[in-house]
Amino acid sequence: MKSLKAQQHPLSKIEYELEVLDTPINGLSFADKLADSNLFPLSPTQIDILQINMGKMCNQVCKHCHVDAGPDRKEIMTRETMLMILEVIKKGGIKTVDLTGGAPEMNPEFRWFIEEVRKISSEVHIIVRCNLTIILANPKYHDLPEFYKKHHIEVVSSLPYFTAVKTDSQRGDGVFDKSIKALKMLNEIGYGSEGSDLQLNLVYNPAGAFLPASQEGLELEFKKRLKNSYDITFNSLYTITNLPISRFLEYLLRSENYDSYMEKLLDAYNPVAAANVMCRNTISVGWDGYLYDCDFNQMLELKVASPTSQHIADWNQKSLLEREIIVKQHCFGCTAGAGSSCGGATA
Amino acid sequence: MKTYYNPEDLKKFGKIGDFQKSMADKFFDYYGEVFQEGALTAREKSLIALAVAHAIQCPYCIDAYTVDTMEKGCDEEQMMEAVHVAAAIRGGASLVHSTQMMSKVKEISM
């Protein structure tokens, strides 16, 4: 399977994607719902988290990927851009550095960057969003678990279900078996074990046009099934709602589920989740150094509404804190039901 | 094409109160409470509802509880096993009546 970009699919054009997403749902926009909750315009509370997209290159081509990542994507963050990010981290205030992609490990500067972050601070929390299969993709990645452990990195990994059929249907043939092997490697060195502070958290997102189950209940089910079937342990399960952009949007439109899915998100709007959306304490950094309110706005090329601080080179904390967060209809994905963020449910 | 069942009508379920409000309010309050977490989990209740939906052959309920069970984290195998429970009870209900047939046969046979 190729990326939408490689296919030259109409949805790989941001203008078309935004045109689809600009349509009100039952006459309502996300901004209308925020206004009803006295949250419009949406403003930041602080900047605790830097979520960094290290590149769109990935060894997998997941059907729902909002990044449209894959082996054919060549966009990758350079050391020059990483040096600018390190300067921002040196200023203090950033509590969490959250590395994502694509497969962030495929960036040749990935290990160097983490080592540099650790030179600045042993306290900054580092998260790697690891797709698991990368660990087995090439011998040069086999020691990644040890590298994560050495730098005390939280590993967050997608595993849509505890069975091969549902996982592979979303993430590709053979992904489940490789993921299980990688999870065992992480368990063997202490990740995800009870009493260990090496955090291994899994991410569930629905394999289709429906909302995720309750995080608490599903976590118990995942723990039971993975333990009984594969002797695998992990710390927490994060349930994440699929946002209607990029490949998941393409699926929704192709399967004629778009209207009903958007209505479902609208009907499930939760003002508590809206107050806790992750864009209020996160800045997302694109592979080319531009700044966004979140990873989803990054993929829609909606740069932060902070004209003097739109690139990491021009980082201005005050200006970023005073900005208005850009919202569109895709934001309904973060406010439906129990809410959704890169750290799971929010309400 | 007009049909007796229209999937869009499911969305109008809440409107039954337009014709009789107090009974509808009581029904929906009760309905809401039934499906809350209790001695049974919401997930178990959803699977029971899916099975019953097939037993009573209600297309609206089948649509609604197919989505609901998936949103409760059930997979296809669990959902199909729930439907087999309904089928077993329905089939069993027919078959167990055969004891009446057998008794009657014996009653009128030499």
Side-chain angles (χ1 to χ4, degrees):
Chain A
M1 194 170 112
K2 289 180 177 175
S3 66
L4 294 177
K5 188 177 183 188
Q7 292 174 45
Q8 297 183 310
H9 192 283
L11 280 170
S12 66
K13 304 283 179 237
I14 301 299
E15 300 76 21
Y16 178 63
E17 206 173 352
L18 287 172
E19 191 183 315
V20 172
L21 284 171
D22 273 341
T23 312
I25 312 156
N26 294 341
L28 286 168
S29 70
F30 186 73
D32 294 332
K33 294 296 283 184
L34 280 184
D36 289 346
S37 313
N38 296 318
L39 287 168
F40 188 79
L42 192 63
S43 56
T45 51
Q46 56 226 322
I47 302 173
D48 290 332
I49 304 168
L50 264 191
Q51 189 173 64
I52 301 164
N53 190 300
M54 304 202 78
K56 297 186 178 182
M57 191 180 286
C58 191
N59 59 317
Q60 293 184 190
V61 191
C62 300
K63 285 182 185 167
H64 69 300
C65 181
H66 69 279
V67 179
D68 193 27
D72 59 44
R73 298 302 299 262
K74 306 302 177 200
E75 301 91 331
I76 206 115
M77 185 175 274
T78 62
R79 185 179 282 212
E80 186 187 11
T81 303
M82 292 181 196
L83 282 166
M84 295 179 207
I85 296 172
L86 292 168
E87 287 305 311
V88 170
I89 296 169
K90 276 182 196 164
K91 291 177 202 249
I94 299 297
K95 293 175 186 159
T96 299
V97 172
D98 184 344
L99 303 176
T100 186
E105 300 91 338
M106 291 179 83
N107 186 312
E109 308 287 4
F110 170 77
R111 296 189 197 216
W112 171 82
F113 179 71
I114 287 174
E115 286 161 358
E116 291 302 308
V117 173
R118 276 286 169 258
K119 282 181 195 167
I120 295 168
S121 168
S122 57
E123 300 299 314
V124 170
H125 184 59
I126 303 176
I127 297 171
V128 170
R129 296 193 181 268
C130 170
N131 69 16
L132 295 173
T133 63
I134 190 68
I135 295 172
L136 299 159
N138 185 303
K140 69 180 177 182
Y141 298 127
H142 289 354
D143 65 337
L144 276 170
E146 293 291 348
F147 178 80
Y148 300 146
K149 181 177 180 176
K150 181 182 175 189
H151 295 286
H152 212 78
I153 290 168
E154 175 187 341
V155 177
V156 177
S157 297
S158 280
L159 190 72
Y161 212 64
F162 40 74
T163 61
V165 173
K166 283 183 95 72
T167 299
D168 291 359
S169 76
Q170 185 183 85
R171 297 177 72 76
D173 288 344
V175 166
F176 182 77
D177 287 345
K178 287 178 193 163
S179 299
I180 292 296
K181 282 181 192 158
L183 287 169
K184 283 182 178 290
M185 289 167 75
L186 288 161
N187 275 175
E188 277 165 16
I189 59 166
Y191 267 99
S193 307
E194 202 173 330
S196 166
D197 57 356
L198 293 169
Q199 291 284 304
L200 171 60
N201 298 316
L202 299 183
V203 170
Y204 162 90
N205 61 292
F210 55 97
L211 296 180
S214 119
Q215 187 164 280
E216 199 181 11
L218 202 57
E219 181 181 296
L220 289 173
E221 185 76 9
F222 263 68
K223 284 191 168 173
K224 187 174 80 181
R225 299 288 285 263
L226 288 177
K227 177 71 184 164
N228 292 348
S229 302
Y230 307 102
D231 198 26
I232 283 170
T233 57
F234 66 96
N235 297 100
S236 299
L237 182 76
Y238 300 152
T239 54
I240 296 186
T241 304
N242 290 314
L243 263 66
I245 69 167
S246 196
R247 280 186 211 147
F248 190 66
L249 176 60
E250 188 277 329
Y251 155 75
L252 289 174
L253 292 169
R254 180 168 38 84
S255 62
E256 299 184 351
N257 276 304
Y258 178 73
D259 290 337
S260 60
Y261 188 73
M262 295 307 285
E263 282 176 26
K264 183 185 280 288
L265 295 181
L266 171 71
D267 291 344
Y269 174 83
N270 179 349
V272 177
N276 295 331
V277 281
M278 63 177 292
C279 50
R280 301 192 81 185
N281 71 341
T282 302
I283 287 287
S284 163
V285 189
W287 66 273
D288 52 1
Y290 281 98
L291 307 180
Y292 304 87
D293 299 303
C294 70
D295 204 40
F296 302 104
N297 279 7
Q298 182 185 141
M299 299 314 146
L300 293 168
E301 298 180 6
L302 300 166
K303 295 186 182 89
V304 284
S306 175
T308 58
S309 185
Q310 284 198 320
H311 191 275
I312 194 75
D314 307 313
W315 181 272
N316 181 328
Q317 182 106 350
K318 185 171 179 292
S319 168
L320 288 166
L321 278 169
E322 288 169 355
R323 80 191 193 279
E324 286 182 17
I325 293 167
I326 298 171
V327 295
K328 298 265 180 195
Q329 302 299 69
H330 64 289
C331 303
F332 275 116
C334 287
T335 59
S340 181
S341 74
C342 291
T346 54
Chain B
M1 187 181 75
K2 276 196 169 185
T3 60
Y4 281 103
Y5 285 110
N6 179 355
E8 289 299 307
D9 284 346
L10 178 58
K11 294 177 192 164
K12 302 174 191 164
F13 190 18
K15 299 259 182 199
I16 64 167
D18 290 355
F19 281 13
Q20 220 297 349
K21 188 169 183 322
S22 66
M23 289 184 192
D25 287 347
K26 282 178 181 144
F27 171 78
F28 285 120
D29 281 351
Y30 165 76
Y31 194 101
E33 190 173 341
V34 164
F35 282 96
Q36 282 175 8
E37 294 272 341
L40 293 175
T41 64
R43 191 168 181 277
E44 288 164 339
K45 289 177 180 180
S46 187
L47 281 167
I48 293 170
L50 182 71
V52 174
H54 283 77
I56 60 172
Q57 294 174 304
C58 165
Y60 301 121
C61 314
I62 292 171
D63 264 8
Y65 283 94
T66 297
V67 175
D68 194 65
T69 44
M70 291 183 84
E71 291 186 344
K72 297 283 190 298
C74 301
D75 67 8
E76 288 87 336
E77 192 179 2
Q78 293 166 331
M79 292 159 68
M80 189 57 86
E81 283 189 17
V83 176
H84 275 291
V85 171
I89 295 297
R90 280 193 74 131
S94 293
L95 287 171
V96 75
H97 281 80
S98 68
T99 57
Q100 187 177 344
M101 174 270 285
M102 291 165 78
S103 299
K104 192 68 182 173
V105 166
K106 286 171 187 165
E107 182 188 317
I108 61 170
S109 299
M110 287 189 285

